[in-house]
Amino acid sequence: MTTGLQRRNDRSFAKIALVAIAMFGFGYLLVPLYDVFCEITGLNGKTGRIDETEIAARYQPDMSRVVTVQFIANNNLGMPWEFGPSVESMQVHPGKIYATSFKARNPTGHDMVGQAVPSVAPNKAGRYFNKTECFCFNQQPLAAGESKDMPLRFIVDPNLPGDVTTLTLAYTVFDVTQVAMN
Amino acid sequence: MSTATATHDDHHDHGPAKGLMRWVTTTNHKDIGTLYLLFALVMFFIGGAMAMVIRAELFQPGMQVVDPQFFNSMTTVHALVMIFGAVMPAFTGLANWLIPMMIGAPDMALPRMNNFSFWILPFAFSLLLSTFFMNGGGPAGGWTIYPPLSLQMGDGFPFMIFAIHLAGISSIMGSINIVVTILNMRAPGMTLMKMPLFVWTWLITAYLLIATMPVLAGAVTMLLTDKFAGTSFFSAAGGGDPVMYQHIFWFFGHPEVYILILPAFGIVSAIVPTFARKPLFGYSSMVYATASIAFLSFIVWAHHMFTVGMPVVGELFFMYATMMIAVPTGVKVFNWVSTMWKGSMTFETPMLFAVGFIIMFTIGGFSGLMLAIAPADFQYHDTYFVVAHFHYVLVTGAVYSIMAAAYYWLPKWTGNMYDEKLGQMHFWISTVSVNVLFFPQHFLGLAGMPRRIPDYSVQFTDWNMISSIGGFVFGVSQLMFAYVVYKTIRGGEKATDQVWEGAHGLEWTLPSPPPYHSFTEAPEVK
């Protein structure tokens, strides 16, 4: 093997190895890309958050339209909390703020921390469902045996597509005690 | 023993060093090719034994042979072993043996890295298989290791992740070596469009590997940190999303299935012209078809996830993009058929396997088209129909091409002809039994039998029994292959240099067996 060829091979190796390393980075880059993509398209049932002071400027209440909002609560595998909505559904006008709450009780003998994660169905309605206040914004600590009424204030965007008459808001509560302790 | 290391720097006419250290320290492309192929054969039987456990359990409804957790680890590890341990190393072994001989090079471009990339593999798979002896058992969440299920694995979890890392590093290094060899080491006159198709398909496969294996490495590293370092890439509680794992995984996973089949296309494109005694029909369209398949493989990944909850626009995009792959694939199948058209065909064992490949791979391709129909996929998803589909393209596709390659080039490698009678028996028993094994799984899937479940509803019993019987026969008949290979290495009728009457290409100009260093002086390519 001539040294010229050897050098050429080493250079080619370095170039291609760089591509491989870049692709490893690209794998990680997919994570923020995925979030941005979901945010732009409103996919994934992710709900929005909005400041209550901005509402008057942005939305006109649409009193002619009624949308049903249903509430569902789930527990992640192994999460022992008693968790559920205080009302199962509400009739709301888009553009108007409503308040409701979810109840949670920690039936175990030790203090725990929970995190609720929301999801809206149908998928395309997620971006039109905005919350001004939600227990899901923060981790929720519950002492042993404690129960809590956790408030939720939300507003449905009047631009919600006309064919959507029912929205389902589902919360899944996860046990994050371990994570919160660290 | 210390003389073994000298073989690389010393380009005189001497044979390899003797003893075990020859194989540990070798930098010779033929030695490393042999190691890869033998390793793949061993893994093929280990993965095959796991398939036998699966078919034994599914012989009857109810639980008879193993417990469900172990059954699930069998399906999971069977897949990991067959994909990363058998098929990919077998193709890399073929590449090592053949590419330097086909392009007129003395050896691979980076011989030391070549040695390293092989010797990582035994460690990778020892790590993977050692998980069976750990608390919690082997991985049982499916070869796709979807979170959150895969994160519930026991003590073996990091071992599985590191095994995947190592296997990935091995194939990335192998691929870099192949690309550098093809780009820099061709004999004078061997332009890109004169390269044999096996070299072309491997060049493109190597690029796919370099582009996607690191993405898999990233995905499994995220799993590892999610489990042990408190990150939340895929945990909804911490703001992550388990569905994102599926996107990242299949961004790797779909190109991966073409990594498992493109070299097979190259092998069949070498064998069919030899035994049809006609040049390959449509050489350049074959090259462009391979490149288009590779490109399309990057934009179809979500067809593995049609039921995950996607907007209709997404379903339609991935459905049409997937169906588009049928066009270049069809070009290939028609080219092979046109090559055989009016040829003076003979049916020695390699040709039987190649023709078997064309017919049965196409069956698998058609069921793939059915699965690509998004609305229909909601019924087929995660059923035995999918299992039947990918076993047609991987067993009667990829594995058949490897068998064909072994029979085709064994006389060149060893200097001895294989036993034609045994070879043909191996083909016919395999082909009958593999269809008895996998064809009924289409019916089971359409009738709604889910995959990855150790028990099933009684109405599925008959087809499962038939499938299991086919499985046992297919499994045992592969021992014939091992025997034929052993017998050919030991001796047999001497092969000529050209071996096959219709064979063309640089490797057939070398003696059989070829000298330890192939082309110390570059051949003339017209």
Side-chain angles (χ1 to χ4, degrees):
Chain A
M1 202 181 286
T2 59
T3 45
L5 180 62
Q6 183 92 59
R7 208 171 315 120
R8 215 144 46 93
N9 286 346
D10 290 347
R11 259 208 307 273
S12 306
F13 165 78
K15 270 188 237 163
I16 303 167
L18 221 64
V19 174
I21 292 163
M23 287 310 290
F24 184 77
F26 179 72
Y28 275 84
L29 189 66
L30 285 173
V31 177
L33 282 178
Y34 179 83
D35 286 340
V36 170
F37 185 81
C38 287
E39 206 166 298
I40 292 172
T41 57
L43 292 178
N44 221 5
K46 290 218 165 111
T47 54
R49 182 175 181 172
I50 189 169
D51 211 308
E52 196 144 348
T53 53
E54 291 174 24
I55 285 174
R58 275 171 75 174
Y59 299 134
Q60 279 297 317
D62 180 357
M63 304 308 281
S64 61
R65 190 169 168 200
V66 177
V67 177
T68 308
V69 179
Q70 302 172 323
F71 302 102
I72 294 178
N74 297 304
N75 282 31
N76 190 39
L77 188 73
M79 177 55 161
W81 285 12
E82 290 157 17
F83 176 57
S86 19
V87 289
E88 285 188 359
S89 77
M90 290 171 81
Q91 308 282 321
V92 305
H93 296 296
K96 206 170 153 212
I97 300 181
Y98 291 85
T100 181
S101 70
F102 276 61
K103 290 182 194 311
R105 195 177 87 84
N106 175 5
T108 66
H110 51 269
D111 300 353
M112 289 180 73
V113 183
Q115 168 74 56
V117 175
S119 174
V120 167
N123 243 329
K124 64 176 174 184
R127 63 204 298 192
Y128 301 101
F129 189 89
N130 291 309
K131 285 165 295 191
T132 60
E133 186 188 342
C134 177
F135 54 91
C136 62
F137 292 163
N138 299 307
Q139 296 180 343
Q140 299 293 330
L142 277 185
E146 185 190 350
S147 51
K148 194 150 83 176
D149 212 36
M150 304 185 296
L152 164 71
R153 290 171 67 77
F154 65 91
I155 179 166
V156 175
D157 190 327
N159 298 319
L160 179 75
D163 58 329
V164 180
T165 54
T166 305
L167 283 173
T168 309
L169 173 64
Y171 282 102
T172 305
V173 66
F174 291 77
D175 178 4
V176 293
T177 312
Q178 287 291 328
V179 187
M181 293 299 169
N182 293 334
Chain B
M1 289 223 178
S2 57
T3 55
T5 49
T7 50
H8 160 62
D9 303 300
D10 236 359
H11 280 237
H12 301 297
D13 284 309
H14 57 73
K18 298 275 180 283
L20 184 68
M21 285 310 279
R22 164 192 175 181
W23 299 102
V24 177
T25 60
T26 184
T27 55
N28 178 278
H29 74 99
K30 299 190 182 75
D31 285 353
I32 293 171
T34 306
L35 286 171
Y36 265 114
L37 288 168
L38 290 179
F39 178 80
L41 190 62
V42 170
M43 292 320 264
F44 181 62
F45 282 105
I46 291 175
M50 292 176 184
M52 296 297 104
V53 175
I54 295 167
R55 282 323 314 173
E57 179 56 56
L58 293 176
F59 189 73
Q60 283 184 308
M63 303 305 304
Q64 2 271 337
V65 188
V66 291
D67 66 273
Q69 171 78 15
F70 188 74
F71 179 90
N72 289 341
S73 65
M74 284 290 108
T75 57
T76 303
V77 184
H78 163 74
L80 290 171
V81 163
M82 287 304 202
I83 292 168
F84 295 103
V87 173
M88 287 170 65
F91 280 140
T92 314
L94 291 169
N96 263 295
W97 251 106
L98 295 169
I99 286 175
M101 297 205 295
M102 283 177 163
I103 62 172
D107 205 310
M108 296 294 280
L110 308 156
R112 279 188 202 285
M113 191 171 78
N114 208 9
N115 171 291
F116 193 44
S117 55
F118 169 76
W119 279 109
I120 290 178
L121 279 180
F123 293 97
F125 284 88
S126 308
L127 276 183
L128 180 65
L129 296 175
S130 69
T131 57
F132 280 111
F133 306 101
M134 290 176 194
N135 193 10
W143 81 277
T144 51
I145 41 180
Y146 281 180
L149 181 62
S150 66
L151 297 176
Q152 293 168 21
M153 191 183 158
D155 293 349
F157 183 78
F159 290 80
M160 172 191 65
I161 299 294
F162 290 135
I164 292 171
H165 278 147
L166 287 180
I169 290 170
S170 161
S171 51
I172 289 168
M173 292 198 304
S175 302
I176 293 176
N177 206 351
I178 287 166
V179 172
V180 176
T181 306
I182 296 173
L183 293 185
N184 292 353
M185 311 259 300
R186 297 191 310 278
M190 173 72 77
T191 58
L192 284 175
M193 289 310 272
K194 275 186 189 165
M195 294 195 308
L197 261 173
F198 179 73
V199 181
W200 252 117
T201 52
W202 240 117
L203 179 64
I204 291 167
T205 304
Y207 275 117
L208 286 181
L209 273 164
I210 292 162
T212 60
M213 268 293 167
V215 177
L216 174 71
V220 297
T221 310
M222 292 180 211
L223 285 178
L224 193 71
T225 54
D226 267 14
K227 191 168 167 84
F228 294 110
T231 59
S232 301
F233 288 107
F234 310 125
S235 149
D241 188 344
V243 174
M244 184 176 68
Y245 175 85
Q246 302 187 19
H247 283 288
I248 300 177
F249 180 86
W250 287 112
F251 181 83
F252 145 81
H254 202 78
E256 168 69 15
V257 308
Y258 292 106
I259 289 163
L260 296 172
I261 204 66
L262 291 184
F265 291 165
I267 291 165
V268 172
S269 303
I271 293 174
V272 169
T274 298
F275 296 96
R277 290 165 182 79
K278 276 176 62 194
L280 184 70
F281 184 91
Y283 170 88
S284 45
S285 68
M286 285 295 212
V287 174
Y288 297 133
T290 311
S292 341
I293 292 173
F295 169 74
L296 288 172
S297 75
F298 282 102
I299 56 165
V300 297
W301 75 89
H303 68 210
H304 297 268
M305 320 162 37
F306 276 147
T307 60
V308 85
M310 246 191 291
V312 178
V313 182
E315 306 255 339
L316 287 175
F317 171 78
F318 287 110
M319 171 167 115
Y320 291 137
T322 304
M323 289 181 168
M324 217 139 73
I325 297 182
V327 177
T329 313
V331 166
K332 287 182 162 294
V333 172
F334 281 113
N335 279 349
W336 291 321
V337 173
S338 309
T339 307
M340 290 188 273
W341 182 254
K342 291 189 173 172
S344 318
M345 286 168 64
T346 52
F347 294 92
E348 287 87 346
T349 312
M351 184 61 164
L352 287 174
F353 273 99
V355 175
F357 170 95
I358 295 170
I359 294 168
M360 289 183 281
F361 174 79
T362 306
I363 292 175
F366 280 136
S367 57
L369 272 176
M370 291 171 70
L371 287 163
I373 304 167
D377 183 70
F378 277 68
Q379 185 191 349
Y380 306 150
H381 187 87
D382 255 345
T383 68
Y384 259 83
F385 191 81
V386 178
V387 176
H389 157 69
F390 67 69
H391 280 95
Y392 263 91
V393 290
L394 287 178
V395 178
T396 59
V399 172
Y400 261 46
S401 79
I402 294 165
M403 300 278 179
Y407 282 111
Y408 185 57
W409 280 292
L410 253 185
K412 169 55 65 188
W413 298 335
T414 61
N416 305 321
M417 285 306 284
Y418 61 87
D419 188 327
E420 184 64 45
K421 203 178 208 167
L422 277 181
Q424 297 208 5
M425 257 171 74
H426 170 224
F427 170 78
W428 285 110
I429 297 173
S430 295
T431 301
V432 171
S433 60
V434 84
N435 282 291
V436 174
L437 163 59
F438 292 123
F439 212 82
Q441 296 183 359
H442 290 115
F443 312 143
L444 287 169
L446 291 179
M449 179 173 161
R451 64 191 279 215
R452 292 170 168 162
I453 309 281
D455 191 4
Y456 51 83
S457 188
V458 283
Q459 73 268 29
F460 301 132
T461 311
D462 292 347
W463 286 124
N464 266 302
M465 279 192 175
I466 292 170
S467 177
S468 286
I469 291 167
F472 299 142
V473 177
F474 183 74
V476 172
S477 62
Q478 300 321 303
L479 294 171
M480 285 178 69
F481 175 71
Y483 176 69
V484 174
V485 172
Y486 173 77
K487 205 176 153 199
T488 314
I489 294 171
R490 293 309 298 265
E493 193 194 321
K494 292 290 158 235
T496 60
D497 290 356
Q498 201 190 0
V499 182
W500 310 105
E501 184 195 29
H504 297 289
L506 283 179
E507 78 266 34
W508 308 109
T509 64
L510 290 166
S512 303
Y516 198 54
H517 299 290
S518 305
F519 290 100
T520 35
E521 279 185 29
E524 203 49 55
V525 182
K526 283 175 269 323

